[in-house]
Amino acid sequence: MLQPEGKRPYTVDVETAPNMAKLPPAPSREAGGSLHRFANPGRFLRLTDNWLPWLSGAALLVLGIGAVWGLAVAPPDWQQGETVRIMFVHVPMAWLAMGGYMGLAILSVMSLIWRHPLADLTARELSPIGAAVTALCLLTGSLWGRPMWGTWWVWDARLTSVLVLFFLWLGHAALVRAFDDAERGARMGAILALVGVVNVPIVKFSVDWWNTLHQPASVTRINAPGMHVDILYPLLVCALGFTLAFAAIVLAATRAAVMERRVRALQMAAARRADAAEA
Amino acid sequence: MTRKRRRIWILVLCAIGLGSATALTLTAFQDNLVFFRSPTDVLTTEIPPGRAFRLGGLVEEGSVQRQGEYEGRPAIRFRVTDGANAIPVVFTGVLPDLFREGQGVVTQGVMGQDGTFRAREVLARHDETYMPPEVADALKRAGHWNPAQGAAPPPAQWNTLEPGRADAPRRTGS
């Protein structure tokens, strides 16, 4: 029994708890392996403690520049007018939805092959954020499609495959939380994430393989970008800003998850000690 | 080490299997994944009469007529072309803002007995080029581009990736 009746729950201050880095590893973790050098949660917390303020500051700065450049300085499009500015949110969200999913796939490979516990935690924190980004991509696309195409939504290959990507993010977020055994949930989530990787090239190339209402890619086409530099440069700045913000949010969420785990481990250790003292 | 190696091989084999299965499925469903048919597709394949489908292409230059009625309502008539073939379309609803001659459109409806496509819905389809109004005006003035005839010229002509030279066509044109 961890918390005998009549006793207050054990509380631990994460930041001031002694011997942070020397805590015993979780019992399920495998020993050895060179990659586990980077899996030390104490080292992760120390490193990211230094990075996070810089990352957040850079994200805010770049997003501020991107917002002013995109909303005030950049010219309207000759045929779409001012609605083209939706692109400065829509396109970075689409890139992050796909790029973030590739990140989830890499974390899943690390989780399945090396049983990397930090990869499990990061994947678990990544998927709700990825789902939010994909939802924003779909919403801004819908808001853009209504005035330009004349419809909120069509079931063409691009839009449908992005909707599938959204459900994959949601499914991963739900699946890793659906098991009492966190490690089992992480493994199931990793398998789902890797199966879903087939959707990423479909999203990317749907506009080239099949005819769609959605236009083909502007920035990554083979000859020069089909976008004037006055519109292209603020788009790239916004993409960089949103990417930095995405990384900062994922990092902060993962740090919180590591600390949460640590609190639980310390509480368990304290409870075990108390039980042993009573016996 | 061997367990790790084995897990890597299982993952690689699963990836190959899943990837080829997806590729085969997508190839098999190729025809159902197209969002619209071009006029040439429509004229060369047999479509059961009364079956609704989407017809896509460019609005042919000089084909838009805003006079006349269809089934008692003011109608707009135009032709959708893919360069090789064109199909006349009649539509009685509200057109999207981007509708003009030379613009891509996707129309949904049924083919009539007389070979005129009766559209229930017209959606505008724009291409992947974005440029400020001044650059578009400069291209038009210089005679490089007539939007009613279709897509903009290759970006290498007007997109120099140097903001200072963005108005190059204007100088060559005047």
Side-chain angles (χ1 to χ4, degrees):
Chain A
M1 200 166 180
L2 291 182
Q3 292 188 6
E5 268 189 334
K7 283 196 173 182
R8 287 175 43 209
Y10 306 98
T11 55
V12 176
D13 183 352
V14 195
E15 295 294 343
T16 58
N19 290 331
M20 292 275 291
K22 290 178 190 158
L23 273 178
S28 59
R29 198 178 299 160
E30 275 182 22
S34 60
L35 221 79
H36 282 266
R37 203 156 45 84
F38 301 102
N40 182 326
R43 180 175 294 132
F44 171 78
L45 284 184
R46 273 198 307 279
L47 278 179
T48 52
D49 193 36
N50 294 330
W51 296 348
L52 197 54
W54 291 102
L55 198 58
S56 315
L60 283 179
L61 182 72
V62 177
L63 274 181
I65 296 172
V68 174
W69 198 347
L71 293 179
V73 181
D77 179 59
W78 73 279
Q79 64 173 344
Q80 303 197 28
E82 304 289 344
T83 56
V84 78
R85 298 184 201 282
I86 297 173
M87 181 172 66
F88 298 129
V89 179
H90 175 72
V91 171
M93 290 303 147
W95 286 347
L96 278 175
M98 286 192 290
Y101 198 89
M102 289 320 289
L104 183 69
I106 293 168
L107 291 170
S108 301
V109 169
M110 288 165 71
S111 163
L112 286 180
I113 294 177
W114 291 284
R115 301 276 192 264
H116 196 303
L118 201 56
D120 287 348
L121 268 186
T122 312
R124 184 193 165 96
E125 299 304 318
L126 178 63
S127 45
I129 303 167
V133 161
T134 315
L136 276 175
C137 172
L138 289 167
L139 281 176
T140 52
S142 189
L143 290 175
W144 196 3
R146 179 62 210 167
M148 289 302 108
W149 298 339
T151 181
W152 300 103
W153 181 265
V154 290
W155 293 99
D156 81 348
R158 169 56 75 81
L159 276 65
T160 309
S161 57
V162 175
L163 188 67
V164 170
L165 181 65
F166 175 61
F167 288 139
L168 280 170
W169 277 116
L170 275 190
H172 182 272
L175 189 61
V176 293
R177 288 163 177 78
F179 291 83
D180 286 334
D181 178 1
E183 206 192 350
R184 200 172 146 73
R187 199 159 318 159
M188 293 300 149
I191 292 171
L192 173 73
L194 286 180
V195 169
V197 168
V198 293
N199 189 44
V200 173
I202 296 179
V203 170
K204 170 71 185 138
F205 296 111
S206 53
V207 288
D208 303 321
W209 290 342
W210 308 291
N211 57 33
T212 52
L213 186 62
H214 194 285
Q215 70 281 5
S218 299
V219 178
T220 56
R221 43 188 251 178
I222 295 167
N223 41 9
M227 194 179 288
H228 194 267
V229 283
D230 291 352
I231 302 174
L232 178 65
Y233 288 160
L235 173 64
L236 294 179
V237 170
C238 286
L240 177 68
F242 279 118
T243 308
L244 290 171
F246 185 83
I249 293 170
V250 172
L251 210 55
T254 309
R255 277 175 59 81
V258 170
M259 289 188 211
E260 222 170 79
R261 254 205 177 180
R262 172 148 297 173
V263 169
R264 221 173 310 133
L266 287 173
Q267 280 177 338
M268 300 273 266
R272 270 196 294 273
R273 269 199 304 278
D275 279 354
E278 256 173 44
Chain B
M1 255 318 175
T2 45
R3 276 208 305 169
K4 210 173 290 174
R5 185 81 37 92
R6 203 178 65 212
R7 291 199 288 247
I8 294 177
W9 277 112
I10 291 174
L11 270 191
V12 168
L13 287 179
C14 288
I16 293 172
L18 191 67
S20 30
T22 314
L24 288 174
T25 314
L26 290 180
T27 321
F29 286 108
Q30 186 80 21
D31 289 346
N32 298 321
L33 285 169
V34 296
F35 185 63
F36 58 86
R37 297 158 191 251
S38 70
T40 306
D41 285 347
V42 172
L43 293 175
T44 52
T45 57
E46 199 66 41
I47 296 170
R51 166 93 160 272
F53 64 96
R54 291 193 189 87
L55 167 72
L58 298 180
V59 180
E60 197 175 69
E61 189 188 5
S63 72
V64 178
Q65 296 175 341
R66 288 168 197 272
Q67 300 96 339
E69 286 193 339
Y70 177 72
E71 289 177 351
R73 285 194 289 171
I76 179 162
R77 290 167 191 275
F78 54 92
R79 291 161 66 82
V80 169
T81 177
D82 58 0
N85 290 291
I87 289 181
V89 177
V90 59
F91 178 60
T92 56
V94 181
L95 289 169
D97 288 351
L98 286 190
F99 183 90
R100 58 174 167 75
E101 290 179 2
Q103 182 69 285
V105 286
V106 177
T107 64
Q108 188 177 14
V110 293
M111 191 57 115
Q113 298 291 325
D114 55 351
T116 299
F117 189 75
R118 284 145 176 72
R120 278 193 294 113
E121 185 184 41
V122 174
L123 303 178
R125 188 175 186 275
H126 59 82
D127 61 10
E128 70 276 25
T129 54
Y130 299 84
M131 61 176 90
E134 303 83 47
V135 176
D137 288 344
L139 283 170
K140 285 183 234 168
R141 253 202 316 277
H144 286 296
W145 177 37
N146 175 4
Q149 285 171 348
Q157 277 187 20
W158 46 269
N159 209 354
T160 58
L161 295 183
E162 296 165 40
R165 289 198 50 218
D167 57 349
R170 189 179 307 165
R171 286 202 298 267
T172 55
S174 56

